[in-house]
Amino acid sequence: MFYLTAKNGFFKGSAWALGAVPLIVGRDVNCDVVLSDPLISRRHFEVVHDDTSARVRDLGSSNATFVNGVAIEQETLKAGDEIAVGGSIFLVTEIHQEMHTVPEADDVSMPTRALNVGEPLYLNKDCDSLFTHGKPRSASDLVTLFHVGRELSQARSRSDLIDALLDRLEAHFEPAWAAVILCDPMTRGLETWPRSAAPRVAEGSPLLPLVRGAIAEAKGVLLPERGGSENAQEIRTTIVAPMVYGEDRLGVLVLQGETPKCMYDETDLEFLIAVAHSAAPNLKAAEQIEQLERENRRLVAGTPGPGAIVGDSKAMVRLRETARQCARSDLSVLILGETGTGKELVARLVHTLSDRADKPLTVVNCAAIPDELFESEVFGYEKGAFTGADGRKIGLFEESDKGTLFLDEVGDLSVHNQARLLRAIEAGTFRRLGGTTDLRADVRIISATNRDLAEASERGAFRRDLYHRLNQFEIQVPPLHARRSDIAAIANHLLDQARRRMPTEVQSFSPEALKALQERRWQGNVRELRNVIERAAVVAQGEQIEVEHLTPSANNAPPKDAPFLPLDEMEKRHIQAAVTASNGNIKAAAELLGIGRSTLYRKLAEYDIAS
């Protein structure tokens, strides 16, 4: 079958099948191909194809019809001929309908314009992409290539570079779909942009062998196939261009078009290879920069800072290594540990070491959100969804798009909210409260709890399916008493933080004070240790914290025969001590106690404590 393909102008890339009925080209609106060009006659030329040959005939035009640069009245056509009229050029392409066995890439020589349906055509990676048979590329192709190179060199990240590349491909080629497919160096799998194109090259798809072959052999591929229904005459063409940087196979660019809207030939493949050549070094540079940034974040994460995980015990070295391992994937992470062990710090470390570090980390305290407000807070709501919903609210799940959602105290979720959360995580879609449209968000889930979720799922208090969905990667945070060798380093780190936040002359701990801290079991873990140190920094008069500056809770447990006060009385006295130590400064007292100011005000009113 012969096709007439537009090489430039408004219809560039469009193709028309030729048959016994003449295909008429001209300015008249009744023509099959209407060209708005003053140099073209109303009925300029016609092309027909019968059982023996394809022919073009000039219809008495004013400015002649040219075949391969020669004015003609009538001419028999062959594959590769160019028909020029006015400012337009058409290419004659022949597609054989017989199915052929796909040859090995190494056995294919230089391409021909007579393509076979189902038979790929291969181009070497080092083919001359800017010139075809000695003819220079059109000005629009060269301008497009220039803009591609400029935009890719200005991209600030790999994702920005890929978005810019896809925009240029779609604008120039107008494909049915386009994709950038990259080799993942970690998993040795393939990453597809946009994500909606991933099923087209999934395991078992007919395109996957072409993509893998183009990557392995570093060869461009052009594949014509039957398109549409079984009896239709449309031809679908797929072109694949490898992105190669030195010896590295970075991935491929893939475009697909279908007649009569679009059909690609080897000149389009050559141009796509030129674009791939331009993209490869920029893509490699972006990957190297992001790798350096990740390594830098890992180095920073290992140094003491405001949110650092301090300690060199075997347990903490193992924890940091586990965090680095799971940060390399998008698997859901479940962080388990006692209250006050620093589970949120571990979540922030995983996020910082991941590829999502430049995107938001949203923290949701599941225990602090009332059960009836969880859905509207996490998934948002539409205007009018309930009384008082005066406008649309974006939920925390949607705010976390491309980033990380940290679900703290996830074990406190009700069963109803567990079901809502599971659906959003499983499908990646959600609806705002009162909405009718499914929305999509790319969110990595990190959750934490001090509860035994395995035991809770066994007795039905926590959904088993949600537990397994959250627990793709588990991190256990050891309690403070299990790593006593870290207590001195943690205490000094917390003291440095306290000195930066509040006026104090304290510089260090006495050996006796450090020993007392190390001998304490610390049921409240690091949070309890921080409260004790901050209070001691306030009450100490000299440059050293002594044992007497530590609260009674920092000493060993009281003798067995010592009387116990009621819990509310102990809490009242503890709050009074914090307010006194802070000279009535509620903000400082709240920081000493590790609670919010609103909570402290409520406690002051409850116990009738003067502030």
Side-chain angles (χ1 to χ4, degrees), residues 99-126:
M99 298 298 291
H100 293 267
T101 303
V102 177
E104 294 295 330
D106 289 337
D107 297 334
V108 179
S109 59
M110 289 303 293
T112 171
R113 292 186 187 278
L115 306 178
N116 295 322
V117 174
E119 179 178 340
L121 177 151
Y122 295 86
L123 291 181
N124 293 326
K125 66 175 182 177
D126 55 352

Side-chain angles (χ1 to χ4, degrees), residues 240-453:
V240 184
M243 290 184 288
V244 181
Y245 183 77
E247 296 300 319
D248 294 338
R249 309 296 202 260
L250 305 183
V252 292
L253 306 180
V254 183
L255 300 176
Q256 192 171 88
E258 187 167 302
T259 59
K261 181 181 178 182
C262 185
M263 187 175 76
Y264 302 125
D265 57 28
E266 67 267 31
T267 61
D268 295 302
L269 176 56
E270 287 177 341
F271 183 68
L272 187 63
I273 291 175
V275 174
H277 286 345
S278 178
N282 291 284
L283 182 62
K284 185 65 175 180
E287 289 179 347
Q288 289 175 337
I289 290 173
E290 290 187 356
Q291 181 179 358
L292 289 173
E293 289 176 346
R294 287 194 295 269
E295 292 298 329
N296 183 59
R297 288 196 297 268
R298 288 168 187 160
L299 290 173
V300 171
T303 61
I309 298 178
V310 179
D312 294 322
S313 62
K314 290 183 179 179
M316 297 312 293
V317 170
R318 187 164 54 248
L319 183 146
R320 280 194 286 267
E321 180 57 31
T322 303
R324 290 188 179 96
Q325 291 173 351
C326 71
R328 300 183 186 128
S329 72
D330 267 351
L331 296 178
S332 298
V333 182
L334 179 62
I335 304 172
L336 302 175
E338 296 179 3
T339 298
T341 51
K343 295 186 290 295
E344 183 174 341
L345 290 182
V346 176
R348 292 185 180 278
L349 177 63
V350 172
H351 174 74
T352 300
L353 298 178
S354 73
D355 292 340
R356 299 172 181 258
D358 57 341
K359 302 300 180 181
L361 169 67
T362 306
V363 179
V364 180
N365 189 331
C366 299
I369 302 178
D371 187 54
E372 62 276 9
L373 297 181
F374 179 84
E375 186 175 9
S376 62
E377 285 295 315
V378 174
F379 301 118
Y381 55 79
E382 298 287 353
K383 181 179 180 180
F386 51 84
T387 303
D390 298 328
R392 173 184 292 173
K393 180 183 184 299
I394 303 299
L396 299 175
F397 198 88
E398 193 171 354
E399 286 182 3
S400 307
D401 189 30
K402 308 298 183 186
T404 303
L405 182 67
F406 175 49
L407 302 172
D408 198 11
E409 305 300 343
V410 71
D412 291 352
L413 277 180
S414 68
V415 175
H416 293 300
N417 287 328
Q418 290 174 28
R420 296 186 182 105
L421 179 63
L422 176 64
R423 179 184 180 278
I425 296 175
E426 288 261 338
T429 60
F430 64 96
R431 286 189 182 183
R432 300 191 189 104
L433 189 63
T436 57
T437 304
D438 283 341
L439 305 174
R440 183 170 292 277
D442 175 19
V443 178
R444 185 190 192 176
I445 302 296
I446 301 179
S447 50
T449 182
N450 59 1
R451 299 176 182 268
D452 186 346
L453 291 191

Side-chain angles (χ1 to χ4, degrees), residues 559-574:
K560 293 183 179 180
D561 56 351
F564 280 86
L565 294 173
L567 188 60
D568 57 349
E569 180 63 25
M570 288 292 293
E571 183 178 51
K572 178 179 178 179
R573 294 188 181 186
H574 197 60

Side-chain angles (χ1 to χ4, degrees), residues 55 87 108 121 176 186 191 215 235 337 370 383 400 462 548 592:
R55 297 182 304 278
V108 179
L121 177 151
M186 299 299 301
E191 300 175 287
I215 293 173
I235 299 296
K383 181 179 180 180
S400 307
F462 197 87
E548 59 266 23
L592 287 177

Side-chain angles (χ1 to χ4, degrees), residues 41-283:
S41 300
R42 291 186 177 278
R43 291 166 59 86
H44 202 107
F45 72 90
E46 67 177 15
V47 188
V48 295
H49 178 226
D50 55 26
D51 294 335
T52 58
S53 63
R55 297 182 304 278
V56 59
R57 184 167 68 91
D58 185 81
L59 299 177
S61 65
S62 302
N63 295 304
T65 300
F66 296 85
V67 175
N68 298 328
V70 179
I72 57 93
E73 292 184 2
Q74 183 168 307
E75 183 74 19
T76 300
L77 299 170
K78 62 181 182 301
D81 285 345
E82 290 185 348
I83 303 173
V85 289
S88 300
I89 300 175
F90 297 88
L91 174 69
V92 178
T93 306
E94 182 182 8
I95 304 291
H96 295 311
Q97 298 300 313
E98 295 80 10
M99 298 298 291
H100 293 267
T101 303
V102 177
E104 294 295 330
D106 289 337
D107 297 334
V108 179
S109 59
M110 289 303 293
T112 171
R113 292 186 187 278
L115 306 178
N116 295 322
V117 174
E119 179 178 340
L121 177 151
Y122 295 86
L123 291 181
N124 293 326
K125 66 175 182 177
D126 55 352
C127 70
D128 192 350
S129 301
L130 298 180
F131 297 91
T132 303
H133 306 299
K135 298 178 182 179
R137 278 285 181 184
S138 68
S140 64
D141 284 353
L142 296 177
V143 168
T144 298
L145 198 58
F146 167 76
H147 285 301
V148 167
R150 184 179 64 178
E151 291 182 11
L152 298 188
S153 66
Q154 294 175 346
R156 303 183 64 180
S157 66
R158 189 175 69 154
S159 60
D160 289 344
L161 186 149
I162 292 171
D163 289 343
L165 185 56
L166 284 172
D167 288 344
R168 278 293 170 183
L169 293 179
E170 291 176 359
H172 184 81
F173 289 95
E174 298 182 349
W177 64 272
V180 177
I181 303 176
L182 301 182
C183 303
D184 186 344
M186 299 299 301
T187 64
R188 300 182 182 275
L190 299 176
E191 300 175 287
T192 304
W193 282 268
R195 293 181 184 273
S196 58
R200 299 179 183 273
V201 290
E203 199 67 42
S205 68
L207 282 181
L208 185 58
L210 284 180
V211 168
R212 286 178 171 167
I215 293 173
E217 300 294 335
K219 293 178 181 291
V221 184
L222 167 61
L223 175 65
E225 305 172 282
R226 289 185 183 274
S229 64
E230 186 68 25
N231 297 322
Q233 295 298 313
E234 289 85 358
I235 299 296
R236 180 172 56 233
T237 50
T238 305
I239 51 179
V240 184
M243 290 184 288
V244 181
Y245 183 77
E247 296 300 319
D248 294 338
R249 309 296 202 260
L250 305 183
V252 292
L253 306 180
V254 183
L255 300 176
Q256 192 171 88
E258 187 167 302
T259 59
K261 181 181 178 182
C262 185
M263 187 175 76
Y264 302 125
D265 57 28
E266 67 267 31
T267 61
D268 295 302
L269 176 56
E270 287 177 341
F271 183 68
L272 187 63
I273 291 175
V275 174
H277 286 345
S278 178
N282 291 284
L283 182 62

Side-chain angles (χ1 to χ4, degrees), residues 507-522:
Q507 300 294 322
S508 61
F509 296 91
S510 69
E512 294 77 15
L514 275 180
K515 183 179 179 181
L517 293 176
Q518 290 172 322
E519 291 176 352
R520 168 72 176 170
R521 188 181 186 279
W522 299 110

